[in-house]
């Protein structure tokens, strides 16, 4: 009698696109996308850096290949690791029971020792965008929030200006302190006392959210891509939240 397909599917190649935040995995037979579990995927590289995907996706259909998008958290965590998935040489795939075939056979796992190197790698060529920012003149801190992981150690403070909408009252920063060197989507700095005092000398600057704007030059901070990294998109943006100085 016919007792059906007992052969487990196996991964034969994969492609990584960090510009779009996607992975596509090719199998040796059609698989059932509804059974696909992206959290069974680990990006890895031989000298030890690794990242296990934390968020899965819902897919349907039957095909030899599956394309899936990473969550923004997973994508930013991948980009924050400077030793992983920066190019072909450090992009390898290990999987657990990531999918079933059309006969419900679980995919063969790929241990790190047998992991596959990426076939096609597309780097991220997009400029990070400043999504919002906050200024607190009580504790003299400023927070910048970007749409992707940036390199905190790359910040050039002279390329950041706090200004009024008329641009006549403005202060180019002369220094920043604080623990902002790590990669992240959110960077928080402590402003120099000289800068805070200069800002507060203006009667029409940083007295309300409507009088508080930031200008970032495109070289003020860069993303995590290996050279040449992407500078941010140059921007002038109104503050999202302002805390004025309440100290006498």
């Amino acid at each position: 009698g016919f007792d059906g397909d007992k052969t487990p599917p196996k991964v034969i190649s994969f492609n990584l696109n960090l510009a779009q935040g996607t992975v596509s995995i090719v199998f040796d037979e059609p698989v059932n996308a509804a059974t696909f579990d992206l959290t069974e995927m680990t990006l890895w590289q031989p000298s030890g850096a690794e990242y296990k995907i934390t968020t899965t996706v819902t897919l349907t259909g039957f095909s030899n290949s599956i394309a899936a998008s990473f969550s923004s958290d997973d994508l930013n965590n991948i980009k924050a690791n400077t030793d992983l998935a920066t190019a072909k040489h450090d992009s390898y795939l290990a999987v657990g029971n990531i999918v079933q075939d059309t006969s419900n056979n679980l995919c063969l796992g790929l241990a790190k020792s047998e992991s596959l190197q990426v076939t096609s790698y597309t780097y991220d060529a997009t400029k990070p965008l400043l999504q919002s920012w906050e200024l607190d003149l009580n504790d003299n801190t400023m927070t910048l929030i970007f749409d992707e992981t940036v390199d905190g150690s790359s910040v050039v403070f002279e390329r950041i200006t706090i200004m009024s909408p008329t641009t006549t009252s403005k202060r180019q920063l002369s220094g920043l302190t604080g623990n902002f060197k790590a990669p992240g989507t959110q960077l928080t700095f402590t402003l120099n006392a000289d800068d805070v005092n200069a800002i507060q000398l203006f009667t029409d600057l940083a007295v309300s959210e409507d009088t508080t704007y930031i200008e970032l030059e495109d070289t003020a901070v860069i993303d995590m891509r290996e050279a040449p990294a992407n500078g941010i998109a140059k921007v002038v943006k109104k503050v999202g939240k302002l805390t004025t100085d309440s100290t006498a």
Side-chain angles (χ1 to χ4, degrees):
F2 179 70
D3 53 5
D5 171 21
K6 295 283 199 301
T7 310
K10 69 176 183 183
V11 178
I12 53 175
S13 67
F14 85 108
N15 300 322
L16 201 55
N17 186 325
L18 288 191
Q20 296 180 347
T22 59
V23 62
S24 61
I25 303 176
V26 181
F27 301 89
D28 66 347
E29 63 166 301
V31 293
N32 179 359
T35 66
F36 182 74
D37 183 0
L38 194 57
T39 65
E40 290 284 327
M41 167 183 169
T42 299
L43 279 173
W44 182 78
Q45 65 105 331
S47 62
E50 66 175 79
Y51 181 74
K52 190 173 193 300
I53 304 303
T54 62
T55 306
T56 193
V57 289
T58 303
L59 301 169
T60 57
F62 301 92
S63 174
N64 280 57
S65 66
I66 286 185
S69 296
F70 297 120
S71 69
S72 59
D73 279 354
D74 281 327
L75 186 60
N76 282 318
N77 287 331
I78 293 166
K79 288 178 180 178
N81 191 328
T82 54
D83 297 319
L84 185 67
T86 63
K88 270 191 174 185
H89 70 84
D90 57 10
S91 302
Y92 287 77
L93 176 73
V95 298
N97 296 324
I98 198 166
V99 76
Q100 296 174 19
D101 68 10
T102 53
S103 302
N104 302 326
N105 297 303
L106 273 172
C107 179
L108 284 174
L110 266 182
K112 288 177 201 162
S113 58
E114 47 190 17
S115 59
L116 285 172
Q117 188 170 13
V118 72
T119 303
S120 166
Y121 177 91
T122 306
Y123 59 76
D124 171 23
T126 54
K127 292 176 178 289
L129 299 174
L130 179 69
Q131 288 190 313
S132 63
W133 72 288
E134 299 177 3
L135 182 63
D136 188 328
L137 294 175
N138 262 336
D139 61 10
N140 299 341
T141 58
M142 177 175 71
T143 299
L144 306 181
I145 300 156
F146 294 92
D147 69 338
E148 66 165 296
T149 304
V150 294
D151 180 0
S153 66
S154 73
V155 171
V156 183
F157 53 79
E158 303 99 324
R159 294 170 188 163
I160 303 173
T161 302
I162 308 292
M163 63 187 204
S164 69
T166 61
T167 72
T168 48
S169 304
K170 59 185 174 184
R171 174 69 179 191
Q172 182 182 14
L173 298 186
S174 62
L176 294 166
T177 55
N179 182 23
F180 58 84
K181 300 297 186 190
T185 55
Q186 183 169 313
L187 305 178
T188 298
F189 319 99
T190 300
L191 300 173
N192 278 5
D194 284 352
D195 290 332
V196 174
N197 291 335
I199 289 167
Q200 292 180 328
L201 282 176
F202 292 106
T203 56
D204 61 348
L205 176 59
V207 292
S208 67
E209 287 174 0
D210 286 334
T211 57
T212 313
Y213 284 72
I214 195 169
E215 180 180 43
L216 294 180
E217 294 177 33
D218 54 9
T219 47
V221 62
I222 59 175
D223 70 4
M224 299 301 300
R225 186 187 152 202
E226 281 190 344
N230 302 297
I232 58 167
K234 184 172 177 174
V235 66
V236 173
K237 197 170 192 72
K238 182 177 162 181
V239 76
K241 181 184 178 188
L242 174 70
T243 305
T244 53
D245 183 12
S246 60
T247 55

